[in-house]
Amino acid sequence: MIYPSNINPDFTDFGETFKFDDYDDDAFQMIMEGINLGDHSPTLSWTSSEKLLATEVASPFQTSLATSPISFEIGDKDEKKKRKRHKDDQVIHVFKTKSVKEIALDDGYKWRKYGKKPIRGNPFPRHYHKCSNPNCIVKKKIERDTSNPEYVLTTYEGRHNHPSPSVVYCDSDDFDLTSLNTLSFQTRTYSYSHSAP
DNA sequence: CGTTTTTGACCTGCGC
DNA sequence: GCGCAGGTCAAAAACG
């Protein structure tokens, strides 16, 4: 039994796949080590324009890719400035998903939307969400990538202090890992449980 | 009827 | 201090 964490238990429609442009070996490698897929190597990376840098690799992989201990910082100077407000130990994750619809990356956690703002230079608004769990302060922001409007950037801040309400299990016997070459996390390839293994 | 979304108002940090 | 931009609040509306 492989336990790859909860990436997208309620896959609906992210275009054809959960796919990334270009290639960044380091970022990709860290994510895949977390997922622990062994020798199988899906194609995953960040766009070169964003130059996402891995800035932290901390504790063991958690219950969700979206809340994995890997955090990224966008290499752009202005962007770093904007992020200065965050505490140094703030864990920030940025995920980029191809999506034809204005929908959030579904990571298995329950979120409550609390705001929407037009962002300067971006024709699409940014959406603000908080984790619905009473004592959890994790937030996520969702916005379209200006340089690539068919992609959606999902930014997570903080770590959940509780397990995901929806945990993914993957049975290696009937699941072809090589099909992850395009990271197509569709529900039919997984079975789910709401309790720990 | 409880939960979530919507949306305008309010707050905060920053540059000038 | 002022104005702008981004982030949050909270009441009302919508939803299931």
Side-chain angles (χ1 to χ4, degrees), chain A residues 69-187:
Chain A
I70 304 162
S71 80
F72 297 95
E73 189 176 339
I74 293 177
D76 178 71
K77 234 180 180 178
D78 293 335
E79 198 64 32
K80 277 182 181 172
K81 230 177 187 178
K82 284 182 211 159
R83 286 162 190 271
K84 209 179 173 185
R85 276 185 223 159
H86 297 295
K87 291 175 185 173
D88 289 340
D89 59 352
Q90 180 85 55
V91 178
I92 298 173
H93 315 252
V94 181
F95 288 86
K96 185 172 178 173
T97 54
K98 188 170 189 176
S99 173
V100 294
K101 293 176 182 175
E102 281 286 350
I103 52 173
L105 170 63
D106 193 331
D107 46 36
Y109 285 90
K110 207 175 174 186
W111 301 93
R112 187 181 69 255
K113 187 175 180 177
Y114 67 92
K116 181 176 100 172
K117 266 285 180 190
I119 302 302
R120 211 166 70 95
N122 191 336
F124 303 98
R126 177 179 292 163
H127 304 265
Y128 300 88
H129 301 259
K130 277 179 184 170
C131 181
S132 291
N133 196 288
N135 297 313
C136 187
I137 56 162
V138 177
K139 295 173 203 167
K140 82 173 173 184
K141 290 180 281 193
I142 298 157
E143 64 188 286
R144 285 216 168 269
D145 184 356
T146 42
S147 60
N148 225 335
E150 72 220 73
Y151 288 87
V152 170
L153 295 173
T154 306
T155 305
Y156 291 84
E157 290 179 19
R159 288 185 191 169
H160 295 279
N161 57 12
H162 58 94
S164 167
S166 179
V167 179
V168 178
Y169 298 93
C170 173
D171 189 338
S172 60
D173 289 339
D174 60 6
F175 182 67
D176 180 14
L177 287 168
T178 59
S179 69
L180 284 174
N181 274 336
T182 53
L183 281 182
S184 181
F185 292 107
Q186 300 186 27
T187 49

Side-chain angles (χ1 to χ4, degrees), chain A residues 1-45:
Chain A
M1 178 77 82
I2 299 175
Y3 189 34
S5 87
N6 179 11
I7 293 166
N8 180 19
D10 295 314
F11 180 92
T12 48
D13 184 8
F14 287 112
E16 72 274 25
T17 57
F18 183 92
K19 202 159 70 180
F20 291 71
D21 280 330
D22 302 332
Y23 202 86
D24 181 323
D25 281 327
D26 292 338
F28 160 72
Q29 194 55 44
M30 282 188 291
I31 289 173
M32 295 324 294
E33 280 172 6
I35 295 176
N36 190 25
L37 289 179
D39 294 327
H40 302 285
S41 299
T43 303
L44 170 66
S45 71

